[in-house]
Amino acid sequence: MVLRHQRAAKRSQEGIASQYRNSLFKSGDLQGALCRYTQALKLSDSPSERGVLYRNRAACHLKLEDYTKAEADHSKITRFRRAQALQKLGKLDQAFLDTQRCAQLEPKNKAFQELLRQLGTQIQQKVVQLSSTDARVQQMFTLLLDPSSQPSDRQKAAQNLVVLSREEAGAEQIFCNDGVKLLHKLLESKQEEVMLSALRTLVGLFSMIHTMAIVNELGMERLCAVMGSEVEAVPLAACHLLEVMFEALTEGMKKDVRCKDAAILPEPSRELRAMLRHLLDMLPAPTVSGPGRDSAINLLVKQVPRKSLRDPDNSLTLWVIDQGLKKILEVAGTIPEISRGPPLTDNTHMSCSVLLSKLYDDLKGDGERENFNHLCEEYVKHQFDSSGMENKLRAIQTVSVLLQGPSDVGNRTLEMSGVMDTIISQCASKDLAHQQVAVEALIHAAGKAKRASFITANGVALLKDLYKKSENDGIRVRALVGLCKLGSAGGTDFSMKQFAEGSTLKLAKQCQKWLCNDSLPATSRRWAVEGLAYLTFDADVKEELVEDKQALQAMFQLAKAEDKTVLFAVGSTLVNCTNSYDVEKPEPQMVELAKYAKQHVPEEHPKDALPFVEKRLAKLLEAGVVSALVCMVKQESPALTEACRECISRVFLALVERQEDRGTVVAQGGGKALIPLASEGTDVGKTKAAQALAKIAITSNPEIAFPGERVYEVVRPLVSLLRLECTLLQNFEALMALTNLAGISERLRQKIIKEKAVPKVEGYMFEEHELVRAAATECMCNLVLSTEVQKLFVAPGNDRLKLLVLYSGEDDERLRKAAAGTLAMLTSEQPELCARIPGTTRHWLEILQALLLSESVDLQLRGTVITLNLMQAERTLAQQLMESEALEILSVLAKGGAPEQASVARTAKQCLDVAVEYGLIKNNNSEGDKGLATGP
């Protein structure tokens, strides 16, 4: 206690001295102020205080026009602070130079000398570490480049090199020992394991060093050649490296990029465009493998469009459209079975659709979109007008890809003269490849509402004929999908069916049959899922599908397979089966009005009622739907579009609707899969995923459901639900989940505070809906465990404390418990708040007595704790309480009763003991009874 008073006295003296020095400066006594600042510098050891003193002394020198000394003082401030920052960043050499210069200017400065000593020790330690790491790096490269070394030794050396590259010292030594050139040689080895290790090591170098010198040393041509490799793992690793390079260059566009000798490297934006040009040149190149081409498209999807539409700069998209749109369309129009062209995978056309859609969506105005349309129409027209059926089929294939991507552009090309007629005529072609291209184009056109009626009138007979008479199952399944699309044009509206009763069920059974036929190629089975995605709008089909466990598991296996184009079809089918789509139910009055006006009123299928939906969800869980969804989320493919993510989020939300199913979803990896879904995708998809996370966090232990660091990743999605655009149910569930998280640890509370949740929680404490208001107050009850939140209540000029006191007197028991609990916590941790409680409302005493008299033991306990805190804080408060009915109530409570009231009795007894200590009451032991009598 004496030491604390001494420190307080010292701080007070220092404050007075500082004010005196500053007053001299303000009054114009510059020499006096200069003398005082110099004296203070000799006495001070605090770096922050010395910084202020140097700055003030420099101001004196400036006023006295002694510019040399002013500059010297400023240099000491900036150099010393920069040295401290460089030390934290690990740039010890530069920190040492700055500190050394400071020490030369002021040799007797203790702070400068201490920092020099620290840096000297750290530099010596780093030298020892680097010398050890240097030897390890040399050993790894010797083994890798020696043809006579054993394969097992080479593999181990390659793995060790990757590990070294992820350490700062290792990355620096690899870079300084011509490691990039040696890695370049390894990329030419043609050995898969060695190439993969070289690529992963380069990723580590970029992550640790971020220098454009590596970009220049490697060269894009070589990297693109590596990405074009036939072995799928190598293109994926090369794609990851290029992704890291893109991020480094994008970051470099925001600042000057220099290498270690301070030489300015080429402008990042120019290098970025050079990399994009190489990627675009890869697309139509016949020497590039199918997986390599898919990786290049995937990279363009990720890196070219703006990350946010709020960013006004879409120049990169415009540049790619100008330089590469025709190359993308060339790949989109390639038909491997018909024309010579670049090798494709099953995913290539879908990847092109996604890229074209992303580029089109990134355009800002009608002029930019019109240019995009014009370039696409020009390409299709050129192909269509060229001689030979092969070119016309390339045009049709391009239209198919556009219909699956930017559908507005696809519709315009579809309406070009002769295109639709050629599609219809080629559906009857004797050439299976020609027929397949035409049928697929017809199917994609049928998916557009404006074309469905035309095709229903002109193409249904043709599709039925193909389905019944074709000898090729590939053609039959595609024709079936066309019929499925047309048969589902009414959506979920039971009264709007295109085909006769039972027809859609027959089509669905055939789709399920093909889906389970392992002898069919994967592409044909994928088309069967496409058909189910449309047919499952019909509740009879949903019921039929979920009863067929073999078909469900076959569909889930396809979702996990290499052909990623099936992802959206699987997602759509599951959304339909779980009824997780949005349905706007009209008000009864509007329905009656529509019937009176003889307008169409949508009807719900009887089997779309809740009991049927719950049974379907149980069947899907039993068939393993969660593991399929988890695998779908992990896919690194353009086919995992934002719309596809939204479908998966909707299904997850439906699966966790029942509390008893949440454990199953978490156990199979659903909790982990929901976190990326809540951060990427459409706004609706992110909201659905966040709500699913909230439901899990409410009923499960968050530390078990989201182990390790993952629990901190859940906070942001939950806070995102605290918006007016979200429903009250979503607000309520987010608040409940945050309450659970806030009760776990201080680190989690700090994460919630950092995400700016506290003002939002406070806002919901005023919500009219009593459940939301109570949930917000409960959340605040746990958040006030953090000192930072407590200070908000302590700060003068706010009504936060008053709100809690008033809520403690409300009729809603849940709200009273939360508010009284928060008050108990605050008055315990911040005793100064106790004196403010009587000033919040003149009914404060009545509210406190009502808590003590409550039938709820929880409320009684909160009331006694608040009373104890008030009495311990100030004698005057204790006196007010003892002069009221609180004395009698506490006396009764202190005698105890039922076992569950033991804590209440103990706390009430403590209140009375405090009153005795103050001399407000005294023990009355006459006649053998322990009573209480008031009096000093």
Side-chain angles (χ1 to χ4, degrees):
M1 182 68 77
V2 173
L3 182 60
R4 192 161 59 194
H5 284 307
Q6 288 174 346
R7 288 174 180 166
K10 185 180 178 183
R11 283 197 298 270
S12 176
Q13 290 169 2
E14 288 171 353
I16 294 167
S18 175
Q19 289 174 3
Y20 177 63
R21 290 192 295 268
N22 294 341
S23 66
L24 288 174
F25 180 84
K26 290 176 182 176
S27 65
D29 185 358
L30 299 175
Q31 288 294 349
L34 189 65
C35 181
R36 293 288 182 179
Y37 287 133
T38 304
Q39 288 175 351
L41 279 164
K42 292 176 181 177
L43 297 171
S44 175
D45 290 328
S46 167
S48 59
E49 187 181 1
R50 292 181 68 85
V52 174
L53 291 168
Y54 274 125
R55 191 164 58 245
N56 291 346
R57 194 171 75 169
C60 288
H61 286 311
L62 279 172
K63 290 280 187 181
L64 293 168
E65 299 184 2
D66 191 343
Y67 301 121
T68 304
K69 290 182 179 178
E71 192 275 334
D73 276 352
H74 270 300
S75 295
K76 289 171 190 172
I77 303 164
T78 54
R79 278 204 178 90
F80 185 61
R81 287 183 177 168
R82 186 170 64 185
Q84 289 175 312
L86 289 167
Q87 182 190 27
K88 296 291 184 185
L89 291 168
K91 298 179 179 179
L92 303 178
D93 294 346
Q94 296 174 46
F96 188 85
L97 290 172
D98 277 342
T99 312
Q100 196 174 47
R101 177 61 180 152
C102 290
Q104 288 170 355
L105 291 169
E106 194 175 342
K108 294 182 180 179
N109 188 306
K110 292 179 184 178
F112 296 165
Q113 295 298 333
E114 174 59 22
L115 186 57
L116 271 178
R117 187 190 64 74
Q118 289 177 13
L119 289 167
T121 304
Q122 290 174 349
I123 288 169
Q124 284 182 340
Q125 290 172 350
K126 190 172 182 180
V127 167
V128 172
Q129 184 186 7
L130 287 176
S131 60
S132 169
T133 307
D134 188 24
R136 289 164 66 198
V137 168
Q138 292 293 346
Q139 184 186 8
M140 297 305 109
F141 276 120
T142 302
L143 280 169
L144 286 166
L145 294 169
D146 183 2
S148 62
S149 60
Q150 294 295 321
S152 59
D153 291 339
R154 287 165 65 90
Q155 187 175 356
K156 191 174 180 181
Q159 291 170 350
N160 288 340
L161 199 62
V162 175
V163 174
L164 279 171
S165 71
R166 292 171 183 165
E167 302 170 2
E168 186 180 355
E172 194 168 326
Q173 284 304 302
I174 293 170
F175 182 71
C176 293
N177 287 291
D178 280 337
V180 180
K181 286 183 180 178
L182 295 170
L183 290 166
H184 205 158
K185 286 183 181 179
L186 294 178
L187 289 175
E188 295 171 353
S189 68
K190 304 297 182 185
Q191 296 178 39
E192 183 181 350
E193 284 299 323
V194 174
M195 291 175 74
L196 285 172
S197 296
L199 290 166
R200 288 165 184 163
T201 303
L202 286 166
V203 169
L205 293 185
F206 267 103
S207 302
M208 298 305 296
I209 298 174
H210 292 295
T211 171
M212 279 184 58
I214 304 177
V215 178
N216 295 328
E217 182 68 44
L218 287 173
M220 273 299 294
E221 284 187 27
R222 179 64 200 142
L223 281 175
C224 287
V226 171
M227 195 160 75
S229 168
E230 291 289 344
V231 184
E232 189 170 0
V234 173
L236 286 173
C239 181
H240 184 209
L241 172 60
L242 285 169
E243 195 172 336
V244 174
M245 289 169 67
F246 266 108
E247 288 169 4
L249 287 169
T250 306
E251 190 65 28
M253 289 171 68
K254 301 172 186 175
K255 56 188 177 183
D256 287 337
V257 179
R258 296 171 184 267
C259 58
K260 292 182 80 68
D261 59 1
I264 298 178
L265 293 166
E267 182 192 355
S269 60
R270 193 175 70 225
E271 292 295 308
L272 191 62
R273 281 175 167 73
M275 289 177 71
L276 288 172
R277 183 175 281 109
H278 277 95
L279 285 176
L280 291 169
D281 289 341
M282 277 183 70
L283 299 184
T287 54
V288 175
S289 69
R293 182 169 290 97
D294 287 353
S295 293
I297 295 171
N298 193 9
L299 203 55
L300 291 167
V301 168
K302 288 182 177 179
Q303 299 299 330
V304 175
R306 292 170 289 172
K307 298 293 184 286
S308 169
L309 294 179
R310 287 187 291 247
D311 179 2
D313 183 16
N314 68 340
S315 58
L316 216 53
T317 295
L318 295 175
W319 186 87
V320 167
I321 290 170
D322 182 56
Q323 300 290 320
L325 182 57
K326 288 186 179 178
K327 294 174 183 176
I328 299 167
L329 293 173
E330 192 175 334
V331 177
T334 299
I335 308 166
E337 300 85 355
I338 297 174
S339 58
R340 292 180 181 178
L344 306 184
T345 69
D346 291 336
N347 299 308
T348 305
H349 282 142
M350 175 59 77
S351 297
C352 283
S353 293
V354 174
L355 176 57
L356 290 165
S357 183
K358 288 276 187 183
L359 294 174
Y360 186 73
D361 291 343
D362 201 41
L363 299 177
K364 292 193 292 186
D366 291 342
E368 292 177 0
R369 294 189 188 94
E370 187 57 39
N371 177 57
F372 189 98
N373 274 300
H374 174 71
L375 290 170
C376 292
E377 287 174 4
E378 191 179 69
Y379 178 83
V380 171
K381 188 175 187 305
H382 172 73
Q383 294 293 335
F384 202 77
D385 289 348
S386 300
S387 59
M389 181 53 67
E390 184 179 309
N391 289 319
K392 285 182 170 54
L393 289 168
R394 284 180 67 89
I396 292 170
Q397 179 61 48
T398 306
V399 172
S400 275
V401 170
L402 287 168
L403 285 167
Q404 293 175 83
S407 56
D408 290 343
V409 183
N411 276 321
R412 280 184 55 164
T413 56
L414 192 66
E415 290 165 4
M416 291 170 63
S417 176
V419 173
M420 198 67 199
D421 292 336
T422 306
I423 290 172
I424 295 291
S425 65
Q426 286 303 305
C427 282
S429 173
K430 299 296 182 184
D431 188 309
L432 284 177
H434 292 197
Q435 194 178 35
Q436 183 171 305
V437 171
V439 170
E440 287 184 12
L442 190 66
I443 293 166
H444 296 312
K448 313 306 167 190
K450 64 186 292 184
R451 282 279 160 193
S453 57
F454 169 81
I455 296 168
T456 302
N458 298 279
V460 169
L462 175 61
L463 289 169
K464 282 184 178 179
D465 199 47
L466 287 170
Y467 171 56
K468 290 176 181 177
K469 297 180 181 179
S470 177
E471 296 178 2
N472 183 276
D473 281 340
I475 296 296
R476 290 187 69 208
V477 72
R478 284 166 173 80
L480 177 61
V481 171
L483 292 170
C484 292
K485 283 193 173 186
L486 296 170
S488 62
T492 58
D493 184 355
F494 182 48
S495 64
M496 288 281 288
K497 296 299 172 189
Q498 297 283 332
F499 296 148
E501 186 72 28
S503 295
T504 52
L505 199 56
K506 288 179 183 176
L507 293 173
K509 285 180 179 178
Q510 185 59 55
C511 283
Q512 289 165 231
K513 181 180 174 183
W514 270 322
L515 180 58
C516 298
N517 188 350
D518 292 333
S519 63
L520 281 176
T523 49
S524 295
R525 295 171 69 207
R526 172 176 65 80
W527 279 102
V529 182
E530 288 270 356
L532 288 170
Y534 285 91
L535 291 174
T536 46
F537 282 122
D538 188 328
D540 288 321
V541 176
K542 299 176 194 181
E543 290 292 312
E544 175 71 25
L545 178 59
V546 297
E547 291 296 331
D548 189 344
K549 191 171 182 179
Q550 185 185 358
L552 286 177
Q553 291 179 338
M555 182 171 70
F556 297 157
Q557 285 303 316
L558 277 179
K560 300 174 185 178
E562 290 183 8
D563 184 358
K564 312 299 189 299
T565 55
V566 77
L567 295 180
F568 185 70
V570 173
S572 299
T573 304
L574 292 173
V575 165
N576 292 339
C577 288
T578 57
N579 281 38
S580 49
Y581 42 74
D582 293 326
V583 179
E584 288 187 15
K585 293 188 177 180
E587 295 179 9
Q589 291 178 338
M590 296 301 294
V591 172
E592 292 301 319
L593 188 62
K595 286 179 179 178
Y596 179 76
K598 296 183 179 179
Q599 296 292 317
H600 172 70
V601 179
E603 294 178 23
E604 185 182 63
H605 197 293
K607 291 181 181 177
D608 275 329
L610 186 60
F612 286 94
V613 176
E614 288 181 345
K615 287 179 184 176
R616 291 202 291 266
L617 285 165
K619 294 280 186 184
L620 288 168
L621 283 167
E622 187 183 333
V625 66
V626 176
S627 62
L629 292 171
V630 170
C631 283
M632 289 167 72
V633 174
K634 289 179 181 176
Q635 302 289 359
E636 282 290 329
S637 167
L640 186 64
T641 59
E642 291 189 347
C644 186
R645 285 175 174 275
E646 183 182 318
C647 288
I648 298 170
S649 298
R650 287 177 179 275
V651 177
F652 265 127
L653 180 57
L655 291 171
V656 299
E657 190 64 41
R658 293 198 318 164
Q659 184 175 332
E660 54 266 37
D661 293 333
R662 292 171 194 172
T664 304
V665 173
V666 170
Q668 294 179 18
K672 181 180 177 181
L674 279 165
I675 294 172
L677 289 172
S679 58
E680 296 177 39
T682 63
D683 289 340
V684 172
K686 289 189 287 188
T687 300
K688 300 284 184 187
Q691 189 178 3
L693 285 171
K695 287 179 183 291
I696 291 170
I698 290 169
T699 54
S700 309
N701 182 342
E703 291 178 293
I704 296 174
F706 311 104
E709 295 296 304
R710 203 172 296 148
V711 71
Y712 300 97
E713 297 177 50
V714 177
V715 173
R716 183 171 294 175
L718 295 179
V719 175
S720 72
L721 293 176
L722 302 181
R723 295 178 289 123
L724 293 175
E725 294 85 357
C726 295
T727 64
L728 281 177
L729 176 61
Q730 290 165 344
N731 299 154
F732 172 72
E733 290 177 333
L735 289 164
M736 292 279 287
L738 287 168
T739 301
N740 282 356
L741 293 178
I744 292 173
S745 69
E746 177 59 22
R747 188 181 166 197
L748 263 171
R749 286 190 288 275
Q750 286 300 319
K751 176 65 175 172
I752 294 169
I753 293 166
K754 187 179 177 182
E755 293 296 336
K756 300 179 180 177
V758 176
K760 296 178 180 180
V761 173
E762 286 186 310
Y764 282 104
M765 287 174 71
F766 293 94
E767 175 58 50
E768 289 183 12
H769 196 289
E770 60 182 26
L771 285 176
V772 177
R773 186 169 64 241
T777 311
E778 287 171 345
C779 187
M780 185 58 70
C781 185
N782 281 353
L783 286 172
V784 294
L785 289 167
S786 177
T787 308
E788 196 171 328
V789 180
Q790 292 168 18
K791 288 177 180 176
L792 295 175
F793 287 85
V794 174
N798 70 78
D799 290 330
R800 292 184 175 93
L801 192 64
K802 180 177 181 179
L803 182 68
L804 291 176
V805 174
L806 293 173
Y807 277 180
S808 298
E810 286 285 313
D811 294 333
D812 180 6
E813 185 173 317
R814 182 174 176 175
L815 179 61
R816 289 179 76 194
K817 284 181 181 179
T822 312
L823 267 181
M825 197 82 63
L826 283 169
T827 51
S828 174
E829 296 294 324
Q830 300 291 337
E832 61 189 284
L833 288 173
C834 295
R836 296 191 199 172
I837 288 180
T840 56
T841 170
R842 58 193 177 90
H843 301 294
W844 72 276
L845 201 52
E846 296 170 28
I847 291 170
L848 188 55
Q849 289 170 1
L851 288 173
L852 295 170
L853 289 168
S854 172
E855 294 180 2
S856 165
V857 175
D858 289 334
L859 285 173
Q860 284 182 351
L861 180 59
R862 285 160 172 77
T864 53
V865 170
I866 295 167
T867 304
L868 178 61
N869 292 338
L870 292 174
M871 294 181 69
Q872 288 176 333
E874 288 190 10
R875 187 180 187 280
T876 53
L877 287 174
Q879 187 171 354
Q880 277 183 273
L881 287 162
M882 292 300 99
E883 290 173 355
S884 70
E885 294 177 10
L887 172 60
E888 186 179 345
I889 299 168
L890 289 168
S891 301
V892 173
L893 291 175
K895 292 177 182 177
E900 62 269 18
Q901 289 182 306
S903 296
V904 176
R906 187 167 54 251
T907 313
K909 177 68 169 59
Q910 287 177 285
C911 293
L912 297 173
D913 290 343
V914 172
V916 170
E917 287 176 22
Y918 283 145
L920 298 173
I921 61 175
K922 61 183 179 181
N923 284 327
N924 181 6
N925 293 318
S926 59
E927 298 179 3
D929 273 336
K930 185 177 179 182
L932 294 163
T934 59

